[in-house]
Amino acid sequence: MVLLIDDDPAVRSLLAAVLTRDGIPSEPAQDGVEAIARLRRRDYDAIVLDLMLPEMNGFDVLRFLKAERAHLLSRVVVITAASESTLRHFHDRALVHALLRKPFDIAELSAAVRACIKRARPASSAGETPPSTARSPFH
């Protein structure tokens, strides 16, 4: 399962459609508050995170992950239209899987999410149960 965090409904719909086409289920979150609530309840195979969000922004979500769910940081694909001056303050860039600038290439996003899923579920391969449905009974 992929968590899609973006305040733009059109972008969330596009991301969900791309992942659905690739056979990857997703859950939406429209802001950092909703995202953190979801992250407190479960792990995700991948997280697509916009930095510029209302309420709590993407930087706040990254701080939460770093403090309470650090194992998920390497599964984060950041998507952003933030300026270079804003990104200068993005000190956790090396901790996340990828940073993609909006407008991003759909194929590049899909590849980055698939790589995160593979990292989350290294034992899965073609012909086995898809990573999003291969759950431990203790999950």
Side-chain angles (χ1 to χ4, degrees):
M1 179 70 67
V2 177
L3 181 60
L4 303 176
I5 310 164
D6 198 297
D7 60 319
D8 185 329
V11 172
R12 281 195 317 271
S13 292
L14 170 68
L15 294 170
V18 167
L19 295 177
T20 298
R21 177 198 69 191
D22 290 345
I24 302 168
S26 63
E27 287 183 358
Q30 64 185 356
D31 58 37
V33 173
E34 184 179 357
I36 288 173
R38 289 183 183 277
L39 288 162
R40 282 193 166 120
R41 288 193 305 263
R42 69 171 297 168
D43 277 354
Y44 289 88
D45 297 322
I47 301 164
V48 178
L49 172 65
D50 185 17
L51 291 179
M52 309 313 285
L53 300 168
E55 303 291 321
M56 299 179 84
N57 63 36
F59 295 106
D60 296 325
V61 173
L62 289 169
R63 277 190 286 279
F64 165 80
L65 288 170
K66 194 172 183 180
E68 296 188 33
R69 311 285 292 200
H71 67 284
L72 295 177
L73 279 170
S74 65
R75 301 179 196 174
V76 174
V77 176
V78 172
I79 56 172
T80 188
S83 68
E84 282 301 318
S85 62
T86 300
L87 290 178
R88 275 190 221 119
H89 304 291
F90 183 25
H91 303 294
D92 295 327
R93 188 182 298 208
L95 300 177
V96 301
H97 178 76
L99 177 112
L100 304 177
R101 300 297 306 260
K102 289 181 180 178
F104 49 84
D105 180 78
I106 296 295
E108 188 177 1
L109 174 75
S110 183
V113 169
R114 286 194 169 284
C116 289
I117 291 170
K118 187 175 182 179
R119 177 177 286 159
R121 307 284 180 202
S124 65
S125 62
E128 291 184 21
T129 305
S132 58
T133 59
R135 298 280 179 227
S136 161
F138 305 106
H139 223 244

